[in-house]
Amino acid sequence: MHLVEHTGAAVTPLRTQPIPCYNVFTMKIRKAIIPVAGMGTRFLPAAKAQPKEMLAVVDKPVIQYIVEEAVASGIEEIIFVTAIGKRAIEDHFDRNFELEYRLEQKKKMEALKEIQKIGKLAKIAFVRQTKPLGDGHAILSALPFVEKHEPVAILFGDDIIDGKIPALKQLIDVYNAYESPVIALQKVPKKDVSNYGVIGGKKMKDGSWQIDRFVEKPSVAEAPSDLIVIGRYIITPEIMAMLPKVSAGKDGEIRLADAFAAYLASGKSLYGCQFDGTRYDCGSKLGFVKAQIELGLKHKDIGADLKKYLKTLT
Ligand code: G1P
């Protein structure tokens, strides 16, 4: 296992002091696990020699948008689960003293500020997933850096969610209200549900969902609703404890989706947050291009010119 913490100071272990209160639901969500070990086969050849998470949307890599969402939601420590070929992600969130020095010399102070900001976003650790055995296995690889009684946020590396309130913050609010694990949900046309986890459940007065079914990638006919699961979750130690027991799939993978299904089958409460915000699936070509256009239109440097340019297209 490989652990690095980029604080700009001496490397210290991420593990915190023993936590005096063991009621998991009174614990603030401070840590996030971001699995980024996937090969990005949906995004070849762009992801052949660089992590797909490092592809830029306008001027920032996709992974930075995701880390910024986590930090804006109150996350202080991030554990990336990486694999071979993902070193660029480590470098991106590290300080780059030579670059900072050169920007300073050239009086490029705005760029300098942007670059320095990245190294200070959060305490960051990297752990390797030694075998490609699924998202559940990736999460288990990060467990040595999570307290036994600690709930954590999970953010998948593909989706950028743009909105006034960070999507993860909205999930954390639901977690705090119901004291149960939470899944991010989005309504899609029914014909599109089969690439996702799909839930069934009851809408609560506050707009969140009490989930009673979780079906991974169902056929349109079998889907319990048109509410799909997006890669943002709050999971509790109970879910984590289920992960090693659900090494189910024919391919030997451990999947978070199976742990949720097992958790529901054991009669426990699970909630869904239909977040406000626009989601861009940057693991797909179309989603990635949509993100470029829409976030480009909002960008202070190029927004107005891009708008003019798009109007010239027939
Ligand atoms: C995973 C989950 C699925 C979820 C999706 C969101 O699937 O298993 O439930 O809907 O992420 O992106 P994957 O995209 O890894 O096949």
Side-chain angles (χ1 to χ4, degrees):
M1 245 179 268
H2 172 58
L3 171 66
V4 184
E5 184 187 357
H6 297 308
T7 56
V11 173
T12 50
L14 259 193
R15 187 170 279 278
T16 49
Q17 294 300 309
I19 293 166
C21 174
Y22 288 140
N23 179 356
V24 47
F25 296 118
T26 60
M27 288 180 68
K28 193 173 167 263
I29 312 282
R30 304 168 42 248
K31 276 184 199 169
I33 300 172
I34 307 186
V36 290
M39 285 207 297
T41 42
R42 283 198 293 164
F43 227 81
L44 289 170
K48 183 177 172 227
Q50 63 178 329
K52 66 176 180 258
E53 298 82 4
M54 285 302 296
L55 297 173
V57 171
V58 192
D59 54 3
K60 267 195 301 201
V62 171
I63 196 68
Q64 190 178 329
Y65 288 89
I66 293 165
V67 167
E68 286 175 354
E69 178 194 322
V71 171
S73 304
I75 296 298
E76 295 159 10
E77 296 178 9
I78 292 173
I79 304 143
F80 280 111
V81 184
T82 73
I84 201 151
K86 300 281 179 166
R87 279 304 285 267
I89 298 177
E90 295 188 26
D91 288 344
H92 185 72
F93 290 100
D94 198 357
R95 300 282 303 268
N96 182 336
F97 290 106
E98 191 182 335
L99 178 61
E100 288 180 24
Y101 175 75
R102 290 191 188 284
L103 289 172
E104 200 164 359
Q105 292 248 304
K106 293 185 179 206
K107 302 262 175 293
K108 301 208 165 184
M109 302 319 273
E110 205 178 317
L112 176 64
K113 232 169 80 190
E114 280 297 314
I115 292 299
Q116 285 175 330
K117 196 182 79 181
I118 303 168
K120 295 178 191 157
L121 280 169
K123 289 184 178 176
I124 295 181
F126 296 89
V127 58
R128 292 264 174 154
Q129 184 179 14
T130 46
K131 288 181 193 157
L133 287 181
D135 53 23
H137 180 262
I139 291 161
L140 285 175
S141 310
L143 280 198
F145 307 104
V146 176
E147 300 293 343
K148 214 172 151 200
H149 304 274
E150 190 173 18
V152 287
I154 312 283
L155 297 96
F156 285 177
D158 280 336
D159 292 316
I160 292 179
I161 304 175
D162 182 44
K164 277 203 192 101
I165 303 172
L168 184 64
K169 170 76 173 62
Q170 298 176 50
L171 265 74
I172 291 174
D173 289 345
V174 174
Y175 170 82
N176 289 336
Y178 292 99
E179 303 191 335
S180 294
V182 184
I183 292 177
L185 300 175
Q186 189 181 39
K187 228 180 223 309
V188 294
K190 193 91 191 252
K191 66 173 176 45
D192 296 337
V193 296
S194 301
N195 290 327
Y196 300 94
V198 183
I199 66 103
K202 184 174 89 186
K203 194 166 189 170
M204 310 297 284
K205 276 198 189 118
D206 64 0
S208 45
W209 289 81
Q210 188 175 28
I211 297 175
D212 56 28
R213 286 188 70 196
F214 185 124
V215 190
E216 181 69 356
K217 306 199 172 105
S219 66
V220 172
E222 283 166 350
S225 73
D226 54 0
L227 280 170
I228 61 159
V229 173
I230 302 300
R232 301 284 189 274
Y233 313 84
I234 308 289
I235 65 166
T236 56
E238 277 180 304
I239 301 260
M240 294 178 216
M242 282 187 166
L243 281 170
K245 299 176 196 154
V246 294
S247 57
K250 297 157 229 139
D251 45 14
E253 289 198 359
I254 300 178
R255 293 204 185 84
L256 188 53
D258 294 330
F260 280 124
Y263 178 82
L264 277 177
S266 72
K268 301 276 169 59
S269 296
L270 178 64
Y271 284 82
C273 169
Q274 206 180 333
F275 58 87
D276 280 330
T278 309
R279 164 194 168 241
Y280 302 102
D281 175 7
C282 290
S284 84
K285 295 176 177 75
L286 184 60
F288 186 70
V289 173
K290 282 182 184 170
Q292 298 286 359
I293 295 171
E294 292 189 31
L295 296 176
L297 285 169
K298 287 184 165 188
H299 195 283
K300 63 177 174 37
D301 296 344
I302 63 160
D305 287 342
L306 179 60
K307 194 171 179 183
K308 269 191 223 151
Y309 169 70
L310 289 175
K311 280 187 179 154
T312 68
L313 301 178
T314 51

